[in-house]
Amino acid sequence: MFSNTFPDKAKIAEIVANQLLEIKAVHFNATEPYKFASGMMSPVYIDCRKLISYPRIRSAVMDFAAATIMSEAGFEQFDCIAGGETAGIPFAAFLAERLGLPMIYVRKKPKGHGRNAQIEGELREGSRVLVIEDLTTAGGSMFTFIEAIRAAGCTVDHGIALFYYGIFSDAEKRFANGKVELHYLATWHDVLAAATKKQSFDEATLASVKAFLDAPLEWSGKHGGVSELPGQ
């Protein structure tokens, strides 16, 4: 169970950013940018799945997640924790254990055979569900899971991402319009601050990453990617 300690939110962000750098989950490459499924080019990439392989760091991160939810949402606000397929599943299990709550997981779409289930585990109608993902960019995948849970007759007013891009204004609009409060531990701005302090990358790379974070779609367009996200 969670130890009920509540570090300052800024301190949590700083520690998590340093932990992600420590396990080399953070990748900066301005000369050969990463191309995302959306067609956007980016000098930054993060692999939060690596957290599951580092028990001490994983434990600290999940304690921070529990502290964040309890301090920002409340102690008795949820009946169940839901993880999204696939990256959210282990983190849902870790968080459910800490908060002493049942866990379910949600597929991106019904599996197409057997019971044709999209939600696995026992989800009681009317349950108040917290959805967790390892990261969210603009909220698209999280809302796929939220909508499935709501369609099952349950309530989702909160979501948590261990890492939130924090660079797209449309993400804030999506969560506001979807009536979901997003909680998170760290953003790209936190990681850039930590990487700059630790001098984890050369100055030119850090400058390019900052330019991207300040204007991601403009940076993408100048580097051969889309200058607006699909559907916008």
Side-chain angles (χ1 to χ4, degrees):
M1 294 290 287
F2 174 55
S3 62
N4 290 324
T5 55
F6 299 93
D8 176 74
K9 188 171 178 64
K11 190 62 176 177
I12 288 176
E14 179 187 351
I15 293 172
V16 171
N18 279 310
Q19 289 171 328
L20 291 167
L21 287 166
E22 182 181 350
I23 64 174
K24 295 181 170 45
V26 174
H27 303 274
F28 288 173
N29 193 331
T31 57
E32 297 181 14
Y34 306 96
K35 185 172 184 178
F36 296 155
S38 63
M40 188 176 77
M41 299 298 287
S42 166
V44 300
Y45 179 79
I46 192 160
D47 182 7
C48 291
R49 293 173 176 85
K50 290 189 75 172
L51 288 168
I52 64 176
S53 299
Y54 293 84
R56 287 179 290 275
I57 290 177
R58 180 186 74 206
S59 181
V61 168
M62 298 318 300
D63 281 348
F64 292 152
T68 297
I69 282 298
M70 295 175 78
S71 61
E72 295 182 2
F75 282 62
E76 302 293 341
Q77 298 303 307
F78 305 105
D79 303 306
C80 183
I81 307 295
E85 178 192 9
T86 57
I89 295 174
F91 298 112
F94 301 144
L95 186 58
E97 181 69 18
R98 274 165 174 72
L99 297 181
L101 290 171
M103 176 217 160
I104 60 170
Y105 73 85
V106 188
R107 300 178 188 275
K108 295 172 185 174
K109 58 184 179 180
K111 63 182 181 180
H113 59 274
R115 295 184 299 109
N116 200 35
Q118 186 170 3
I119 297 174
E120 299 290 358
E122 184 172 353
L123 179 62
R124 296 179 180 178
E125 187 173 353
S127 293
R128 301 165 301 168
V129 182
L130 171 67
V131 175
I132 183 170
E133 285 209 280
D134 64 328
L135 65 85
T136 189
T137 304
S141 63
M142 185 178 282
F143 271 95
T144 297
F145 308 129
I146 289 170
E147 288 163 6
I149 293 166
R150 286 174 170 172
C154 296
T155 299
V156 182
D157 294 330
H158 298 266
I160 182 169
L162 305 181
F163 188 85
Y164 173 47
Y165 265 54
I167 58 175
F168 297 112
S169 60
D170 283 339
E172 296 178 8
K173 294 177 186 176
R174 174 174 276 164
F175 281 99
N177 292 338
K179 301 187 185 310
V180 172
E181 182 177 353
L182 178 67
H183 309 272
Y184 55 88
L185 305 186
T187 70
W188 273 122
H189 293 287
D190 299 316
V191 168
L192 177 59
T196 301
K197 185 176 181 179
K198 294 168 71 76
Q199 298 183 321
S200 302
F201 301 90
D202 63 81
E203 290 185 9
T205 296
L206 293 171
S208 190
V209 168
K210 184 180 185 306
F212 169 76
L213 298 185
D214 289 342
L217 290 171
E218 180 181 336
W219 193 98
S220 172
K222 290 179 178 178
H223 292 78
V226 298
S227 55
E228 61 179 44
L229 293 177
Q232 296 181 13

